[in-house]
Amino acid sequence: MSYGYPPPPDHRQQQLSPAPTYHSHSSHYNNQAQSYNDPLDSYYTDLQRAPSPAYGQQHQQPVASPSLTGYQQGYQPPSTPLDPDAEMYGQPSSNPCQNPPGGGAGGIGVGEVFRPNNQHLLPQQPPPQQNFYQQNQGSQPGLQPRPSFSSQHSDYYDEGKSYSSTTHLASTPQKEWDVGSVVPPVPIDINYGNQDQYYPPRPMYGTGPPSTVSSAHTGWGGTSHWHKMRNQLLERRVVKQIPLHNGNLIMDVPVPKGVIPSGVKGLGLMDGEIESLRYSAATCDPDDFMGRKFNLRQYLYGRKTELFIVMTMYNENSELLLRTLNSVIKNIAHLTTRTRSKTWGHDAWKKVVVCIVADGRKVVDPRVLKVLQLMGVYAEGVMKDHVAGKETQAHIFEYTSQVVVSDTGEVGFGSTPVQLLFCLKEQNKKKLNSHRWFFNAFGPLIKPNVCVLLDVGTKPSGTSIYELYKCFEKHPNVGGACGEIFADTGRFGKYLFNPLVAGQNFEYKMSNILDKPFESVFGLISVLPGAFSAYRYDAVKNHADGTGPLAAYFHGEMMNLPGATASIFDRNKFLAEDRILAFEIVVKKNAKWRLQYVKSAKAGTDVPARVPEFISQRRRWLNGSIFAATYAMVCFWRIWTSGHNFFRKIALTILTIYNLVNLIFNWLSISSFYLAFFFLISSSIAGASDPFGGAGDDIFQVFNKVYIGLIFVVLVCSLGNRPQGSNWMYTFCIFMFAVCQGILLYCAGWTVYQTVPHTTEGWKDVSGLFENKTFLDLAMSLMATYGLYLISSILYFEPWHMLTSFVQYLLLLPSYVNILLIYAMCNLHDVSWGTKGDNGASKDLGSAKKVEKDGKEMAEVALPTKQEDVEALWQQARAELRAPAVEKPEKRSAETKRADQDRNFRTNVVLLFLGSNMLVILLFTSSAFTTWVNTHFTSATQSTFNPYLTVIFYAVLGLSTLRFLGCVLYLVFRLFGF
């Protein structure tokens, strides 16, 4: 499908209003009554919004917006400018940056109730007032009387039912208000203050520490008060008629005053861009988003997008969201400072869109929604779960925000606006589906140059995103790039006291020093981590026939749908879907894209600090990487169908062979590690000098059996047990493997020590050392691993992990090989991400009913009608975020706990049963036992003798004799009638 670009309209003759959305009934604000004729139906079509007056004075030429097929052309503005505040609240906007029509002083303040003359504040006990909806009853035929609203039901077509919550938050008992009554508003703090625009943000009010500020809101910060204020907002909603745009529910919602900064002139904002939030209820699959004629603000404004950043999340808390989001805002602020760049500069923020995709409305953290509400990109009471009988698949909020929320919950304004797009998926459909919304739904509309993928919790440094983009700008054939992901070690490295974190820190560092630079030279990096990577949109796009990188990438999602018939191999392969995407980009038919590692782009991430989470994470990584690597081996011939030159194809073939050898060694790593343990220790104690002072053989026999027993224990625990249910057993095995590794390292060092000269005279003939085969083998082996670690780290000027994490990594190495690989292989059938999918549609938001009015399609929806309710809820969210989040310990459900207990019981019985048998075998076949037998029995009897066999023989004889006597007695008793 092709999309034309009409000639740009003259914004000097066409002044667009901020999003005419709500069809209200006759208002007491007669001078703002609107007539929704044909132009309104074509509002979200091929239009060019005029810039704000200050922006227009700069004489910048508007950019033509692309059009969607079937949209109406030739937008004509209505005779009176439309104001979202007037349309929703029946009053003009109180935006401090915009004068109301007629030149008045502008709007009501926070906590006020609107009066026609706008002169009085609400008293503590307000008299009964006729509200906006009541004034219009009877003036419009066919309108329903307003029902009472609570958060318990969803179907507002029945007067006995009412509207429900917008999230899964628990509701409190509601008081029902009579039609036309006014709920007394709660007084709120209206001291927003004038803020200087800079980053990091200055608190909007309150000069004390967060604890001091939040203590002033002791009665406000509780969850119960949040529900009370939120339910008041829901109760006072009224049904309004809103035009459907091509059958889709799209509307602009006025944002709270605290979200709008002062002094936004000169930023080039479009009219209504910072005064209103845009909400779209997507009732289609992501692949059909553009075909169903949904659109986005960036598309309507005709802005060119250089960077499209996506942050995917599941149930992460607000702290992790702010860590990533604030880092992204810093990166955008950095782009605006690059005034000498042809691409970036003062208006760089217009070329960046930040997309946040939350995977499931019911599982998203409530504090996350409050953070987004404070930033203006989320609103309570406007979402609908059904539109015209169709289920809503995702709730899409768009807003250009300058609000920054600090880690301590303080709210201020940053130095630059940020274009935010929040996609709240109705159901939990996993990370691949979130990326499908990003690439297939939003990507074709925005048409970005570079897409940046981030996981919530990853913290890119202040210039990392620019460093990634610069790689694409300098190298036109780079299709994908990744930076250095490092483990977050905490302030002053305090997390390194946890050996598990230290081991992962060393692993991450060496991967960024040895593996990724090596693969980058060939142009094929085996994995571009989904937590922090970037792709050129043209490189990942499919071919015209629908095949290509994105089609292969999202094939994994289709495999897990009900009724899918994909093989277990394919489903495991797509556990490492980022490896599949990297491979598909490089081998894309008739293309010559390559992948590159960008050392200067850094991002920190949390690593598992507990054994169960560590094992579960690596299970997914190992299974995915093994099967994805196998897939790459099988499909290596596709390298020769790509558009790379001959030498690049040869290099990629060599890299494939290298990966094949690595895959074989990984497959045999358990046996290789055990044989190294066996031969190295046995050879060290077989020499003239025993490293254990004569007890070497006994120690070897014991720990050799211990090593084998640990493998056996890990195998049994891995067959069906969750790591969370066998935490202590896995921890014990890790500790014992570390002891075995310590003995191995000691014996290796002892052997090297024995082979080198111990005198000064001996070191004069250094060449003689290399004639010693034992020394040569050990020296070369150690240099090939640990020596290269040290040398390469020094070359990259990053040797510190060798001092802080090297020893921990060495001790954890046998656990990496044995525990992680065995658990991964024993759970090949588990192709989940550790989250449960949600296949049911919720019905707790209310519906949008489709009606016809004057031949136009309208939607009847319930919307907030009191601005003071919106302001109060915003202030309450702000107060609650100042209070530190109460860390909730992870609790297993009763069903999961019972299942874990049953599995543990089964595992313990199996270990006791087989372990006792193996213990007997190991005891009576050990060299200590045979030596004792030979000393005390064989020499005395002058024959081969084993007391164990003697005991067995006489025990069998005694038991058989008892059985024989019993059967004889039975016959005797039977003969005599007993």
Side-chain angles (χ1 to χ4, degrees):
M1 182 181 296
S2 62
Y3 300 91
Y5 291 80
D10 188 352
H11 68 273
R12 291 169 297 181
Q13 300 178 5
Q14 175 174 297
Q15 178 69 28
L16 297 186
S17 64
T21 54
Y22 303 125
H23 182 85
S24 304
H25 312 299
S26 301
S27 169
H28 50 269
Y29 250 72
N30 296 325
N31 63 337
Q32 296 221 355
Q34 306 300 326
S35 175
Y36 292 94
N37 298 318
D38 291 341
L40 188 56
D41 290 335
S42 62
Y43 174 74
Y44 290 109
T45 61
D46 303 332
L47 55 86
Q48 171 63 39
R49 292 194 183 214
S52 57
Y55 178 62
Q57 292 171 5
Q58 299 174 9
H59 304 288
Q60 298 189 18
Q61 295 299 324
V63 181
S65 297
S67 64
L68 291 175
T69 304
Y71 276 18
Q72 300 181 21
Q73 307 291 329
Y75 172 79
Q76 297 296 330
S79 56
T80 306
L82 301 179
D83 190 338
D85 292 81
E87 291 302 308
M88 173 174 278
Y89 305 128
Q91 63 191 50
S93 171
S94 55
N95 174 18
C97 309
Q98 173 181 313
N99 289 330
I108 63 172
V110 181
E112 300 178 41
V113 171
F114 175 78
R115 301 294 182 87
N117 55 8
N118 194 22
Q119 294 176 351
H120 303 287
L121 297 177
L122 182 70
Q124 292 296 324
Q125 299 296 331
Q129 250 182 328
Q130 189 179 36
N131 69 3
F132 171 72
Y133 188 85
Q134 184 183 13
Q135 291 178 2
N136 293 282
Q137 287 186 8
S139 60
Q140 298 287 345
L143 292 181
Q144 304 175 7
R146 176 192 172 211
S148 60
F149 302 108
S150 70
S151 58
Q152 306 299 325
H153 306 287
S154 60
D155 187 0
Y156 72 88
Y157 308 121
D158 185 345
E159 293 184 19
K161 298 183 179 180
S162 56
Y163 302 98
S164 63
S165 66
T166 58
T167 65
H168 61 285
L169 300 172
S171 300
T172 54
Q174 299 298 308
K175 178 180 179 180
E176 294 190 356
W177 302 89
D178 295 332
V179 176
S181 63
V182 177
V183 182
V186 184
I188 58 177
D189 187 355
I190 62 173
N191 181 20
Y192 297 116
N194 295 324
Q195 302 299 317
D196 296 330
Q197 299 179 10
Y198 72 101
Y199 192 93
R202 179 181 300 171
M204 282 187 173
Y205 69 91
T207 57
S211 58
T212 305
V213 177
S214 60
S215 64
H217 297 268
T218 304
W220 291 70
T223 304
S224 61
H225 197 77
W226 160 266
H227 286 298
K228 177 182 177 182
M229 302 179 72
R230 176 175 151 275
N231 289 332
Q232 175 176 299
L233 178 143
L234 297 177
E235 287 174 347
R236 296 179 4 149
R237 292 184 297 177
V238 298
V239 177
K240 296 194 176 186
Q241 291 185 343
I242 298 175
L244 290 176
H245 304 281
N246 299 287
N248 304 317
L249 179 61
I250 302 173
M251 55 186 177
D252 280 8
V253 181
V255 296
K257 292 199 306 183
V259 176
I260 305 174
S262 59
V264 296
K265 295 183 178 180
L267 292 177
L269 295 164
M270 293 292 186
D271 287 339
E273 183 175 0
I274 206 164
E275 291 84 20
S276 60
L277 158 72
R278 190 171 192 261
Y279 169 73
S280 304
T283 56
C284 62
D285 186 80
D287 293 346
D288 302 327
F289 188 78
M290 190 168 70
R292 295 289 182 88
K293 298 183 180 179
F294 283 95
N295 48 58
L296 302 171
R297 273 187 171 181
Q298 186 79 351
Y299 170 85
L300 296 174
Y301 294 162
R303 290 173 178 167
K304 180 181 179 183
T305 304
E306 288 291 335
L307 279 173
F308 192 19
I309 304 170
V310 63
M311 298 161 46
T312 53
M313 62 184 302
Y314 173 56
N315 61 354
E316 289 82 356
N317 57 37
S318 59
E319 180 183 351
L320 295 177
L321 173 68
L322 289 173
R323 176 189 303 175
T324 305
L325 184 55
N326 287 344
S327 298
V328 170
I329 293 174
K330 288 181 181 178
N331 275 266
I332 296 175
H334 171 72
L335 295 177
T336 61
T337 64
R338 306 196 67 86
T339 54
R340 295 186 178 182
S341 172
K342 295 180 180 179
T343 305
W344 308 113
H346 178 69
D347 289 336
W349 64 269
K350 296 180 182 178
K351 302 177 181 179
V352 184
V353 178
V354 179
C355 175
I356 305 170
V357 184
D359 192 13
R361 178 170 60 88
K362 290 186 177 180
V363 297
V364 67
D365 191 322
R367 286 178 67 93
V368 165
L369 297 181
K370 291 172 186 175
V371 168
L372 298 175
Q373 181 183 5
L374 288 179
M375 299 184 70
V377 73
Y378 174 76
E380 291 278 357
V382 300
M383 293 189 295
K384 303 301 170 190
D385 51 51
H386 286 74
V387 177
K390 295 180 288 187
E391 292 182 2
T392 302
Q393 303 298 319
H395 308 276
I396 301 169
F397 300 87
E398 299 172 79
Y399 183 65
T400 300
S401 177
Q402 210 167 334
V403 174
V404 179
V405 182
S406 69
D407 296 339
T408 58
E410 291 297 331
V411 180
F413 292 111
S415 60
T416 182
V418 178
Q419 298 181 106
L420 294 173
L421 190 160
F422 176 45
C423 176
L424 178 58
K425 291 160 55 180
E426 183 66 21
Q427 302 174 25
N428 168 223
K429 292 188 175 181
K430 314 293 180 59
K431 184 177 178 180
L432 269 180
N433 182 265
S434 298
H435 280 170
R436 196 152 65 90
W437 277 101
F438 174 72
F439 281 113
N440 288 5
F442 309 142
L445 281 169
I446 291 181
K447 293 186 171 70
N449 182 15
V450 176
C451 301
V452 179
L453 275 56
L454 290 169
D455 284 348
V456 165
T458 303
K459 183 178 181 180
S461 63
T463 61
S464 290
I465 294 179
Y466 170 73
E467 295 293 339
L468 281 180
Y469 177 84
K470 187 168 65 174
C471 173
F472 291 94
E473 194 174 36
K474 289 175 60 178
H475 308 286
N477 65 332
V478 170
C482 68
E484 175 186 344
I485 296 182
F486 59 88
D488 182 12
T489 57
R491 191 175 185 183
F492 304 119
K494 62 181 180 180
Y495 297 157
L496 293 177
F497 288 104
N498 183 337
L500 201 58
V501 174
Q504 294 174 86
N505 176 56
F506 183 86
E507 183 188 16
Y508 276 54
K509 283 292 184 182
M510 293 317 303
S511 174
N512 293 320
I513 290 175
L514 288 176
D515 296 336
K516 283 190 169 55
F518 167 76
E519 294 174 333
S520 182
V521 172
F522 289 86
L524 172 56
I525 300 175
S526 58
V527 54
L528 299 181
F532 180 54
S533 56
Y535 298 91
R536 194 185 298 272
Y537 187 67
D538 287 341
V540 299
K541 277 196 312 186
N542 293 328
H543 298 290
D545 60 357
T547 62
L550 284 182
Y553 181 61
F554 294 126
H555 187 57
E557 181 190 355
M558 307 306 164
M559 291 180 178
N560 294 310
L561 295 178
T565 57
S567 66
I568 190 68
F569 178 93
D570 288 334
R571 283 180 286 162
N572 272 284
K573 175 181 70 178
F574 277 98
L575 288 176
E577 79 293 338
D578 41 11
R579 291 177 179 265
I580 300 299
L581 183 57
F583 177 76
E584 292 290 339
I585 290 174
V586 174
V587 301
K588 189 175 183 180
K589 194 170 184 179
N590 300 325
K592 52 181 180 180
W593 302 111
R594 65 181 180 90
L595 309 179
Q596 185 159 322
Y597 172 62
V598 184
K599 178 69 176 174
S600 55
K602 301 178 184 294
T605 186
D606 286 333
V607 296
R610 297 179 64 250
V611 171
E613 288 77 11
F614 177 61
I615 295 176
S616 297
Q617 181 197 68
R618 295 308 174 97
R619 185 271 308 172
R620 189 177 73 249
W621 287 9
L622 284 171
N623 286 348
S625 62
I626 290 173
F627 287 93
T630 305
Y631 168 76
M633 300 299 110
V634 174
C635 299
F636 83 96
W637 55 269
R638 292 178 57 192
I639 293 172
W640 294 89
T641 64
S642 65
H644 296 289
N645 59 49
F646 176 77
F647 297 103
R648 174 76 67 180
K649 291 177 180 178
I650 292 293
L652 291 173
T653 303
I654 295 174
L655 181 63
T656 302
I657 297 173
Y658 166 83
N659 289 333
L660 176 61
V661 174
N662 263 342
L663 182 62
I664 295 173
F665 274 105
N666 287 335
W667 184 264
L668 301 175
S669 59
I670 292 180
S671 60
S672 300
F673 204 93
Y674 171 75
L675 292 176
F677 174 83
F678 181 89
F679 290 125
L680 191 56
I681 296 180
S682 61
S683 62
S684 67
I685 64 176
S689 178
D690 191 336
F692 300 100
D697 187 64
D698 294 334
I699 291 176
F700 171 68
Q701 291 296 331
V702 170
F703 279 95
N704 184 45
K705 305 300 189 294
V706 167
Y707 193 105
I708 296 174
L710 290 173
I711 293 179
F712 168 76
V713 171
V714 171
L715 177 64
V716 173
C717 288
S718 299
L719 288 172
N721 278 39
R722 295 189 323 126
Q724 290 80 358
S726 301
N727 183 18
W728 68 269
M729 184 67 75
Y730 282 114
T731 304
F732 172 76
C733 291
I734 290 175
F735 174 78
M736 292 306 300
F737 272 127
V739 173
C740 293
Q741 177 74 346
I743 295 174
L744 174 65
L745 294 173
Y746 171 71
C747 290
W750 177 269
T751 303
V752 173
Y753 173 75
Q754 292 298 316
T755 57
V756 300
H758 297 164
T759 63
T760 307
E761 292 294 328
W763 280 101
K764 291 181 179 179
D765 185 17
V766 180
S767 61
L769 287 175
F770 295 96
E771 296 176 2
N772 187 325
K773 185 169 176 53
T774 302
F775 172 80
L776 190 62
D777 291 345
L778 279 174
M780 295 300 292
S781 176
L782 293 174
M783 279 297 297
T785 51
Y786 311 137
L788 287 182
Y789 289 166
L790 178 61
I791 295 172
S792 58
S793 298
I794 294 175
L795 287 176
Y796 275 72
F797 297 102
E798 294 183 357
W800 310 117
H801 59 279
M802 297 295 299
L803 302 176
T804 61
S805 307
F806 182 49
V807 174
Q808 297 95 313
Y809 175 76
L810 286 180
L811 295 177
L812 286 172
L813 195 55
S815 298
Y816 272 90
V817 172
N818 294 295
I819 295 179
L820 299 184
L821 271 174
I822 291 176
Y823 181 80
M825 290 300 170
C826 288
N827 291 274
L828 287 176
H829 64 286
D830 184 3
V831 292
S832 70
W833 284 69
T835 59
K836 295 183 179 180
D838 177 17
N839 297 319
S842 302
K843 297 183 179 180
D844 59 341
L845 297 179
S847 304
K849 181 181 179 182
K850 181 179 176 181
V851 296
E852 292 261 341
K853 182 177 178 63
D854 298 331
K856 302 179 183 63
E857 292 184 342
M858 310 288 286
E860 288 185 351
V861 295
L863 295 169
T865 58
K866 299 295 182 182
Q867 186 181 10
E868 60 266 23
D869 292 342
V870 177
E871 302 287 353
L873 194 61
W874 187 88
Q875 287 283 2
Q876 180 61 27
R878 179 178 176 181
E880 291 201 359
L881 282 178
R882 284 178 165 181
V886 178
E887 198 165 325
K888 297 180 181 179
E890 293 185 5
K891 292 185 179 180
R892 294 175 291 174
S893 64
E895 182 181 354
T896 303
K897 190 174 182 179
R898 174 94 178 257
D900 284 341
Q901 291 174 345
D902 294 344
R903 294 189 185 104
N904 281 336
F905 178 79
R906 175 202 61 193
T907 299
N908 294 335
V909 171
V910 171
L911 287 176
L912 180 63
F913 169 64
L914 295 180
S916 57
N917 283 273
M918 290 188 66
L919 182 62
V920 171
I921 295 172
L922 294 174
L923 175 63
F924 289 103
T925 58
S926 64
S927 58
F929 178 77
T930 55
T931 301
W932 181 76
V933 169
N934 292 333
T935 302
H936 294 82
F937 293 93
T938 305
S939 59
T941 60
Q942 298 297 319
S943 61
T944 302
F945 174 77
N946 193 312
Y948 177 76
L949 295 179
T950 302
V951 172
I952 294 296
F953 292 157
Y954 282 108
V956 172
L957 177 61
L959 293 174
S960 299
T961 302
L962 288 175
R963 292 165 67 194
F964 177 75
L965 290 176
C967 74
V968 171
L969 285 174
Y970 177 79
L971 289 176
V972 172
F973 292 157
R974 190 175 182 223
L975 286 174
F976 292 97
F978 289 100

